[in-house]
Amino acid sequence: QKEVEQNSGPLSVPEGAIASLNCTYSDRVSQSFFWYRQYSGKSPELIMSIYSNGDKEDGRFTAQLNKASQYVSLLIRDSQPSDSATYLCAVNTGTASKLTFGTGTRLQVTL
Amino acid sequence: GAGVSQSPRYKVAKRGQDVALRCDPISGHVSLFWYQQALGQGPEFLTYFQNEAQLDKSGLPSDRFFAERPEGSVSTLKIQRTQQEDSAVYLCASSYSTDTQYFGPGTRLTVL
């Protein structure tokens, strides 16, 4: 079992719809959770971080964390074609400092 | 403001050659991380520095991989006797503490 799991996609949503991206992790001591966006041929760009259970909103993005279920999600409202990218979920256990990434979910926003 | 920079952006090496990849972190960031990203995969951790101290090198795949950060700023990742399986994008990230990490543009290494 991989430490951080994501559906590789592609996830296709029409422009203006809500995109829902999901991530599960195996290490219960994980403390910090991140969503990075990566365009093809580019490096990961941080879009959201979340540390406690519940929702965190930033513009069109909402991160949701449920530590009991070991589940993190990212909602993108009013999806735009420019949101088309791979979204990487990353987890930091705190003790090790390193980030453990999922394989990423490719999102396609269609016109 | 300057972000994390890496050089070279692209490197082609013949199998068996040694390569050196450079990372300039964001000014003032004490933590520096190296990751390896294969095509279609998420980044995989290689090693971590806090200032000049290498605190974790558990992700280095073999003793052909070596990293240093002698003055606590610029870091170099060296790969000796490159193999085809070393072909990947090498990403450097820096952080003020050990939490939020900001990535550089990466070095794409191709070993022929």
Side-chain angles (χ1 to χ4, degrees):
Chain A
Q1 182 190 5
K2 286 182 68 71
E3 294 181 58
V4 179
E5 299 222 31
Q6 296 180 255
N7 188 321
S8 61
L11 173 66
S12 184
V13 299
E15 183 177 8
I18 297 175
S20 178
L21 305 162
N22 304 314
C23 171
T24 58
Y25 61 95
S26 61
D27 192 338
R28 286 194 169 274
V29 302
S30 300
Q31 298 181 2
S32 308
F33 306 86
F34 304 88
W35 284 97
Y36 284 84
R37 177 175 63 198
Q38 187 171 31
Y39 292 112
S40 182
K42 303 294 186 183
S43 63
E45 172 192 10
L46 179 70
I47 53 172
M48 288 288 287
S49 60
I50 188 166
Y51 305 95
S52 54
N53 281 328
D55 295 0
K56 179 181 177 183
E57 186 175 321
D58 183 1
R60 296 187 295 113
F61 299 97
T62 298
Q64 299 174 317
L65 174 60
N66 184 326
K67 289 187 177 181
S69 300
Q70 295 176 238
Y71 179 88
V72 193
S73 66
L74 179 70
L75 300 178
I76 306 175
R77 289 181 298 283
D78 188 25
S79 296
Q80 301 297 310
S82 59
D83 295 325
S84 298
T86 295
Y87 289 80
L88 296 163
C89 172
V91 174
N92 185 333
T93 62
T95 56
S97 299
K98 66 182 182 182
L99 290 177
T100 301
F101 285 84
T103 55
T105 298
R106 188 157 65 93
L107 173 66
Q108 293 178 335
V109 180
T110 57
L111 295 171
Chain B
V4 178
S5 62
Q6 292 186 246
S7 61
R9 293 292 312 279
Y10 303 91
K11 177 69 179 177
V12 178
K14 292 183 179 179
R15 190 172 52 186
Q17 281 185 330
D18 298 349
V19 298
L21 313 179
R22 177 188 169 107
C23 172
D24 275 277
I26 294 172
S27 178
H29 279 195
V30 299
S31 299
L32 186 147
F33 303 80
W34 284 98
Y35 293 85
Q36 180 190 60
Q37 187 173 24
L39 191 65
Q41 302 296 315
E44 296 271 353
F45 170 78
L46 294 177
T47 187
Y48 155 57
F49 290 86
Q50 190 170 75
N51 295 306
E52 68 278 3
Q54 189 174 20
L55 299 186
D56 186 347
K57 53 181 181 179
S58 62
L60 295 176
S62 77
D63 59 7
R64 297 185 297 104
F65 287 72
F66 171 77
E68 60 183 5
R69 194 187 185 196
E71 297 178 358
S73 179
V74 171
S75 177
T76 303
L77 176 67
K78 298 178 179 178
I79 308 174
Q80 296 177 322
R81 304 180 305 279
T82 52
Q83 304 295 313
Q84 284 190 322
E85 61 263 28
D86 300 334
S87 295
V89 175
Y90 290 85
L91 295 164
C92 176
S94 73
S95 171
Y96 179 71
S97 58
T98 56
D99 197 45
T100 304
Q101 297 179 26
Y102 298 93
F103 283 83
T107 295
R108 182 178 297 277
L109 173 65
T110 302
V111 181
L112 302 176

